[in-house]
Amino acid sequence: MIRFIAAMDSKGGLANNHGIPWQGKLPTDVAFFRSKTTNNIVLMGHETYDEFKQPLSKRRNLVASRNLKSVRPGFEVIHDARKFLSQTKEEVWNIGGAGLFAATLDLADELYITQLGQDFNCTKFFPEFKDKFEKVSETQPQTENGITFTFQVWRPKT
């Protein structure tokens, strides 16, 4: 099962050149992310890896990169993300970033989206997906630190 997990603003934005604009403002989203990915495999792109000082605890941390030869302790390099995802029998959570999401979207079995209700002027975006996926669940809106959001699950259209 290949699952994507991402928080995005009202325009599909994931981040800007300084990182995630809402970082530290949505503890409920952080808890949601942790509850879904703990004791599982997380797959991240090179830029996402660069943002982590250490691996996410209680997870197998894989870094998709054609160029990296080695990574810090606690991380493993996967040189071909598409091949890995298409061959694995394990549950994998793709945590991005934008490039990895775009390169592997067609392999996703489910998308777990934290949909924020405002525009954060992001420069990095989740790929367009609504034409190929259908929303199967959505929570009631909630607000933290002035940011309204819902948790959504999307699956490929049949």
Side-chain angles (χ1 to χ4, degrees), residues 12-19 47 51 98 122-126:
L14 299 169
N16 59 33
N17 294 333
H18 305 290
E47 288 185 32
E51 294 176 18
C122 291
T123 56
K124 299 173 186 178
F125 296 88
F126 197 88

Side-chain angles (χ1 to χ4, degrees), residues 55-105:
L56 296 171
S57 64
K58 298 181 181 175
R59 283 157 270 211
R60 184 174 168 207
N61 290 254
L62 304 180
V63 181
S65 174
R66 289 188 175 92
N67 303 322
L68 281 177
K69 299 291 184 240
S70 63
V71 288
R72 296 184 299 279
F75 293 94
E76 302 170 52
V77 177
I78 299 294
H79 293 289
D80 188 333
R82 289 189 61 79
K83 182 177 178 182
F84 170 77
L85 289 173
S86 63
Q87 293 179 348
T88 188
K89 303 290 185 230
E90 298 179 89
E91 183 172 325
V92 177
W93 288 87
N94 182 339
I95 65 171
L100 183 60
F101 286 144
T104 59
L105 182 65

Side-chain angles (χ1 to χ4, degrees), residues 11 23-24 45 105 110 124 137 140:
K11 293 189 176 177
Q23 189 77 40
L105 182 65
E110 291 181 326
K124 299 173 186 178
S137 69
Q140 290 297 313

Side-chain angles (χ1 to χ4, degrees), residues 134-146:
E134 60 188 342
K135 189 178 355 173
V136 295
S137 69
E138 182 172 25
T139 64
Q140 290 297 313
Q142 46 193 309
T143 302
E144 282 183 326
N145 295 309

Side-chain angles (χ1 to χ4, degrees), residues 121-134:
N121 299 307
C122 291
T123 56
K124 299 173 186 178
F125 296 88
F126 197 88
E128 178 51 48
F129 67 97
K130 293 181 180 176
D131 58 333
K132 294 184 174 93
F133 289 79
E134 60 188 342

